[in-house]
Amino acid sequence: MDAQGRGRADDVDPADQWVLNPNTGEYELRLSPSAPQSGIPGPRRAAAAPSASRRGAQASRTTAPVAPGRDVPPPRRRRGAPPEEPLPGRRGRRPVKQKSKAKKALLWTGGTMAFVLVAGAATGYFYLKHLEGNVGTTDVGDAAASNFSKDEAFNILIIGTDKRTGEGNEGYGDAGSVGHADTNILLHVAKDRTNATALSIPRDLIVDIPDCKTKQEDGTDTVVAGQDGVRFNRSLGERGRDAGCTMRTVEAATGIKPDHFVMADFNAVKTLTTAVDGVEVCVENAVNDKKSKLVLPAGTSKVEGERALAFVRTRHAFGNEGDLDRIKVQQQFLGSLMRKMTSGDTLTSPTKLLKLAEAATNALTVDEAIGKVGTLKDIALELKKVPTKNISFMTIPVVDNPAETVKATVVVDRTRAPAIFDAIAGDVSFTEVKAQEKKEKAEVAARLKGTKSAASDVRVRILNGGAAGGSAQQQLAHLQTEEGVTKSENAGNAEATLAKTTLEYAPDQADQARRLADIMGLSGSAMKPGKSVTNSQGLPAMTLTLGKDFKGAGVKLNSSTAAAPGVDKSTADKAQCAS
């Protein structure tokens, strides 16, 4: 409704009927100030049904308790007293809040109260069904998980397409295009919700697109043939490829399987930023880009709608005018949008939340497993648990395509990228978060207890059993130069791949094992009593096998943080200026 109608007695803004309950932290539908609260969830969170004590407290404000087996007549009005005010109705006054310590039975005040409850429930139900109707879904088969679990780590592939929809988008994307994978972010959310990683995938990254099965409009399946050595953005749209093909391409390129996808076109940026009344961005130098029509002064500005879209689309105003520089700008923008969406100004405003719910559901296409509004709400609530300071933004490490004379595309940097992929797959944070200690059995934990030898007395052979290439040599250099473990050597690759790093030692090497475990942050379960081996000097030595959980030279295994050497990283809590 418009602002002019707010003063009329017979008009109520629907957004004002959603009220934050401070006791539960939920938004609840309140059709009248005195009516009991609806248990139907609003666009932010699903509201809990009122407890017995609260229901009793609400009823007791208008109805006196009735003794069993007695009819109590209504109270009489004193002669000459003014008529009693009617019970609070649509425009009635809010009752005085009272604290109720004892549980009270719900007392009905008649058919009117029951009707209000039913009407509130129906309103909430139909509004949720309305939101659900806004969301588009795509059946991508087994490319996506069959359901969403609130108790596990999850990966969501966020795809921004260059498809033209809506008014004012004629200047963007390819005319008549079904939409390519223009902007791509693999969002990993940790199992314990302490951290998340948003990994950008360049659209010009050269990848192999695997064969993928897609669902046709008539319900039949067809297999779209894959292609080798092509741009990543061709994994969507071309030859009828759907988002499932893009998900399979991500898995083939990174080894990380996306669980779900969320896809949006240009309109999403415009509608979402408008719904939250704009997003703050910062540029080091004034921008006047004739191609995107972006005009910004140096410093901080608020952008929304068309100007927000121009900000994330422009390439010619920043850096080397390439896609990698634009990705950095988009990451900064997303961080700012996250801060705005989770700010108190947004979360405490029913009006903004309703606008945000409408904008988000209208903008999204998702896989069928998360196509229900309730599931999308669950995902949003799980994301809300992650502190913005622990949401890391980074881009897949790449190098120029060596096959090109004129550099236009990039390929994965095989020296830096594997450590990033392994950390995400291993649910390891790139920010410093408090590690959750896992209790080990007493006999296992006891392996860490006892005397420790001097570092200079530790003899160990290092094998690579699944860590990134070069890890054994890097760890050897760290142990010798930084930790004083000079009697160590690189023994090459292990025969088998291990998920976890292990240290095998003979009984008389236990004090050496405890010292190395202390240096590397090994758990008791990583220590394997066994036998020693002979090193290159013919002396008995322990065997350290670096598994897939190895986080990098010098990074303790019991640390919650992974090393990302040589990779630019930012976090969602900090505002940055594009340059």
Side-chain angles (χ1 to χ4, degrees):
M1 97 182 247
D2 55 30
Q4 294 175 346
R6 293 186 182 275
R8 293 170 53 190
D10 56 348
D11 285 334
V12 177
D13 188 337
D16 292 334
Q17 294 174 298
W18 292 95
V19 181
L20 179 66
N21 185 332
N23 295 322
T24 65
E26 306 281 355
Y27 273 93
E28 299 171 345
L29 183 64
R30 177 177 290 169
L31 294 181
S32 69
S34 62
Q37 304 307 303
S38 168
I40 299 302
R44 173 174 172 249
R45 297 182 63 176
S51 66
S53 61
R54 283 181 53 216
R55 294 195 299 263
Q58 290 168 343
S60 66
R61 295 169 188 157
T62 56
T63 307
V66 180
R70 295 185 58 186
D71 293 329
V72 180
R76 292 177 295 178
R77 182 165 53 89
R78 290 179 299 167
R79 186 183 302 273
E84 293 180 354
E85 290 186 6
L87 292 174
R90 184 183 182 93
R91 305 294 295 178
R93 297 176 300 175
R94 294 193 180 187
V96 177
K97 293 184 179 180
Q98 299 177 0
K99 295 183 179 180
S100 177
K101 296 182 179 179
K103 290 186 177 181
K104 301 177 182 179
L106 178 62
L107 303 178
W108 295 98
T109 59
T112 302
M113 186 69 75
F115 177 78
V116 170
L117 284 173
V118 173
T123 302
Y125 172 79
F126 286 117
Y127 182 72
L128 288 179
K129 298 304 291 184
H130 159 71
L131 290 179
E132 206 159 276
N134 292 344
V135 182
T137 61
T138 300
D139 182 0
V140 295
D142 60 4
S146 59
N147 57 20
F148 172 72
S149 174
K150 293 190 289 185
D151 300 321
E152 299 294 334
F154 60 91
N155 302 314
I156 295 182
L157 179 62
I158 302 170
I159 307 171
T161 75
D162 56 3
K163 183 178 180 179
R164 292 181 181 178
T165 62
E167 297 181 1
N169 291 332
E170 294 78 11
Y172 302 104
D174 300 326
S177 169
V178 295
H180 298 97
D182 191 61
T183 300
N184 311 278
I185 297 175
L186 180 61
L187 177 65
H188 170 79
V189 181
K191 181 176 181 178
D192 61 8
R193 308 298 187 250
T194 60
N195 66 92
T197 301
L199 183 69
S200 291
I201 305 171
R203 67 177 187 178
D204 294 329
L205 178 69
I206 297 300
V207 296
D208 294 338
I209 301 175
D211 296 344
C212 62
K213 185 168 65 174
T214 61
K215 183 76 67 176
Q216 304 301 296
E217 291 185 2
D218 61 2
T220 61
D221 293 327
T222 187
V223 176
V224 181
Q227 288 178 279
D228 293 342
V230 296
R231 280 179 166 89
F232 181 89
N233 67 341
R234 296 173 64 180
S235 64
L236 178 71
E238 189 174 296
R239 301 185 181 183
R241 294 188 178 104
D242 61 16
C245 300
T246 310
M247 297 172 75
R248 297 180 194 277
T249 303
V250 170
E251 184 177 8
T254 67
I256 305 167
K257 180 177 175 58
D259 299 304
H260 305 286
F261 83 87
V262 172
M263 184 166 63
D265 58 25
F266 293 134
N267 271 338
V269 174
K270 297 165 69 171
T271 56
L272 288 174
T273 53
T274 300
V276 296
D277 292 339
V279 171
E280 283 194 351
V281 298
C282 181
V283 293
E284 290 187 358
N285 304 301
V287 174
N288 189 355
D289 183 4
K290 294 181 180 179
K291 292 190 176 182
S292 67
K293 300 181 177 60
L294 177 65
V295 179
L296 288 176
T300 301
S301 301
K302 186 168 76 169
V303 297
E304 64 178 280
E306 189 68 35
R307 195 157 71 142
L309 179 57
F311 182 80
V312 298
R313 287 289 302 157
T314 186
R315 286 191 299 167
H316 304 284
F318 307 112
N320 297 321
E321 302 186 9
D323 189 47
L324 295 179
D325 290 304
R326 185 177 66 167
I327 286 175
K328 293 179 181 178
V329 173
Q330 291 172 344
Q331 291 172 346
Q332 295 166 14
F333 174 84
L334 285 174
S336 182
L337 179 59
M338 286 181 178
R339 292 192 297 274
K340 187 62 178 288
M341 291 174 68
T342 57
S343 68
D345 181 53
T346 299
L347 296 180
T348 58
S349 169
T351 301
K352 287 185 180 180
L353 285 173
L354 282 178
K355 288 181 180 178
L356 191 56
E358 291 284 353
T361 53
N362 272 306
L364 301 180
T365 299
V366 301
D367 58 278
E368 289 191 332
I370 61 172
K372 300 291 186 182
V373 167
T375 307
L376 291 174
K377 178 213 66 175
D378 288 341
I379 293 175
L381 292 178
E382 294 304 306
L383 286 171
K384 186 176 179 293
K385 296 177 182 178
V386 183
T388 54
K389 68 177 182 178
N390 290 334
I391 301 177
S392 301
F393 289 103
M394 58 181 63
T395 304
I396 290 180
V398 297
V399 294
D400 288 335
N401 187 353
E404 294 177 333
T405 301
V406 178
K407 304 303 181 185
T409 61
V410 293
V411 296
V412 173
D413 183 350
R414 293 299 174 187
T415 63
R416 295 181 294 155
I420 304 298
F421 299 156
D422 288 344
I424 293 174
D427 198 24
V428 178
S429 174
F430 289 97
T431 58
E432 190 64 44
V433 296
K434 186 176 180 180
Q436 292 186 344
E437 296 182 2
K438 297 180 179 179
K439 292 184 178 180
E440 295 181 321
K441 293 182 179 179
E443 63 271 19
V444 174
R447 297 170 187 170
L448 296 170
K449 298 178 180 179
T451 59
K452 302 180 183 69
S453 67
S456 59
D457 292 332
V458 173
R459 285 193 297 269
V460 60
R461 299 171 72 248
I462 305 173
L463 296 172
N464 190 332
S471 292
Q473 185 59 38
Q474 293 167 9
Q475 181 65 10
L476 173 68
H478 173 78
L479 289 176
Q480 290 183 340
T481 60
E482 302 295 331
E483 304 292 349
V485 184
T486 55
K487 298 175 182 176
S488 51
E489 59 185 43
N490 182 354
N493 293 326
E495 293 181 359
T497 298
L498 301 180
K500 301 290 186 181
T501 296
T502 62
L503 175 63
E504 184 177 2
Y505 58 96
D508 61 351
Q509 296 171 320
D511 55 344
Q512 295 182 45
R514 286 190 286 267
R515 173 57 65 191
L516 190 58
D518 183 61
I519 292 172
M520 294 189 59
L522 297 175
S523 63
S525 59
M527 301 173 68
K528 304 295 183 182
K531 60 182 180 179
S532 63
V533 294
T534 303
N535 66 12
S536 59
Q537 296 178 338
L539 298 173
M542 302 182 294
T543 301
L544 174 67
T545 306
L546 306 179
K548 288 184 176 181
D549 63 338
F550 182 71
K551 304 174 184 180
V555 181
K556 292 193 174 186
L557 284 164
N558 59 358
S559 167
S560 57
T561 307
V567 178
D568 290 335
K569 184 186 72 173
S570 61
T571 52
D573 64 318
K574 296 179 181 177
Q576 295 184 331
C577 292
S579 59

